[in-house]
Amino acid sequence: MTAMPSGSIRPDDTAMCSIAVTGTGFSAGVGVEEGADVEWQVPEETAVAFEYNGRSHAVMMATPADLEDFALGFSLAEEIVGTAADIENIAVRETPLGFVVNLTVDPLRLLRGSLRSRSMEGRSGCGLCGVDSLVHAVREPRKIETALEVEPAAVAAAFRALPDHQPMNRANRSVHAAAWCAPDGAIRLAREDVGRHNALDKLIGAVVRSGADPATGFVVMTSRCSFELVQKTAAVGIPLLATISAPTALALELARNANLTLGALSRRDTVILFR
């Protein structure tokens, strides 16, 4: 897989992922003079098209950073390919309308039915956009084969450390984060995006590209836990997913079917694990 071409946005170039805008301040006891101009950072939201062997598959609205991680993670989490080795090359190019990411894959390595047609774009906050059949709406997640012992205190420690791994969010306070953690709660990798699904895809790609085994750690996220996050996490064998908010009933059902442990922060700032 090739590196990003010169001129595309790189993971550490977070300043390029926010735009300064000016609004009118309103005093609410926070030291802002009423009527004064206030500068605010807002996140980029850009169209990112995924092509497989030159054929368009999906267009996602995303933060234009970590695009190779995004492409690999999306391909694995959506079960388009079975392993990273199935992807021969990733090429990123910028166009006037956004970014195009073309993945070269041996046609024999594409999983059966994985490139089902999509009828619309995938919006940054949605995991079902473009799916054209109810049959494809909720796929049964893969079963987790490897157990991982993680204490609630380790998950809580990861949540406490997460803000230190959110440089984009410090600038604009508008993006989600997903972090991959060691069993003791130490954060090893983190990725951010305007879309929670995108952040998880980017993280999955980053973990796999680092050479780490996804089954040896767990994920914490700044979002609620919906069923699509369960599907993506289980697809790559991550045994535990913890989110700020509680899981939906469907997410919990699918997680139990997949032997995936879910975690959430309670109102008392303690971690609850759903096994």
Side-chain angles (χ1 to χ4, degrees):
M1 293 182 287
T2 60
M4 275 190 182
S6 176
S8 61
I9 297 175
R10 297 178 179 274
D12 58 350
D13 207 352
T14 56
M16 294 183 67
C17 295
S18 296
I19 298 174
V21 297
T22 301
T24 301
F26 178 78
S27 179
V30 292
V32 176
E33 183 179 349
E34 187 170 350
D37 288 341
V38 177
E39 186 176 277
W40 194 270
Q41 297 289 325
V42 296
E44 290 264 24
E45 188 172 20
T46 304
V48 178
F50 291 127
E51 296 180 347
Y52 292 85
N53 299 331
R55 178 187 175 189
S56 181
H57 172 60
V59 179
M60 311 300 292
M61 299 304 298
T63 302
D66 305 296
L67 295 184
E68 285 195 338
D69 291 342
F70 190 15
L72 175 58
F74 178 86
S75 300
L76 294 170
E78 292 297 319
E79 299 185 71
I80 294 171
V81 297
T83 70
D86 295 336
I87 300 175
E88 299 172 357
N89 186 60
I90 300 176
V92 181
R93 72 179 188 273
E94 187 173 5
T95 77
L97 299 178
F99 288 85
V100 177
V101 185
N102 186 64
L103 299 94
T104 304
V105 185
D106 183 337
L108 297 178
R109 296 289 186 178
L110 292 170
L111 300 182
R112 183 182 300 275
S114 60
L115 292 183
R116 58 184 181 268
S117 63
R118 292 194 176 213
S119 57
M120 58 186 295
E121 79 280 4
R123 299 186 177 94
S124 56
C126 177
L128 278 180
C129 290
V131 173
D132 58 7
S133 168
L134 289 177
V135 174
H136 297 143
V138 184
R139 70 180 189 272
E140 191 66 24
R142 293 187 182 185
K143 288 192 178 294
I144 302 297
E145 302 294 339
T146 304
L148 183 70
E149 292 298 324
V150 177
E151 295 296 327
V155 180
F159 274 123
R160 288 194 298 270
L162 188 53
D164 293 335
H165 297 265
Q166 296 179 257
M168 289 188 209
N169 197 60
R170 282 198 297 274
N172 56 49
R173 291 182 282 174
S174 301
V175 295
H176 284 296
W180 190 67
C181 313
D184 63 358
I187 293 178
R188 301 304 187 198
L189 288 165
R191 291 293 184 266
E192 295 177 278
D193 197 275
V194 290
R196 55 200 170 92
H197 310 95
N198 301 342
L200 181 56
D201 284 338
K202 288 179 178 182
L203 178 67
I204 289 171
V207 171
V208 173
R209 292 181 73 201
S210 75
D213 181 355
T216 62
F218 66 93
V219 169
V220 294
M221 296 187 66
T222 59
S223 68
R224 64 184 175 88
C225 183
S226 55
F227 76 94
E228 316 96 297
L229 301 184
V230 170
Q231 291 172 326
K232 289 175 179 289
T233 304
V236 295
I238 295 172
L240 187 153
L241 169 65
T243 56
I244 291 291
S245 301
T248 66
L250 179 56
L252 190 57
E253 177 185 350
L254 292 180
R256 285 172 172 164
N257 291 344
N259 298 324
L260 171 67
T261 298
L262 296 183
L265 284 177
S266 74
R267 292 181 178 178
R268 297 180 180 178
D269 294 327
T270 57
V271 171
I272 299 174
L273 296 181
F274 303 89
R275 303 184 188 274

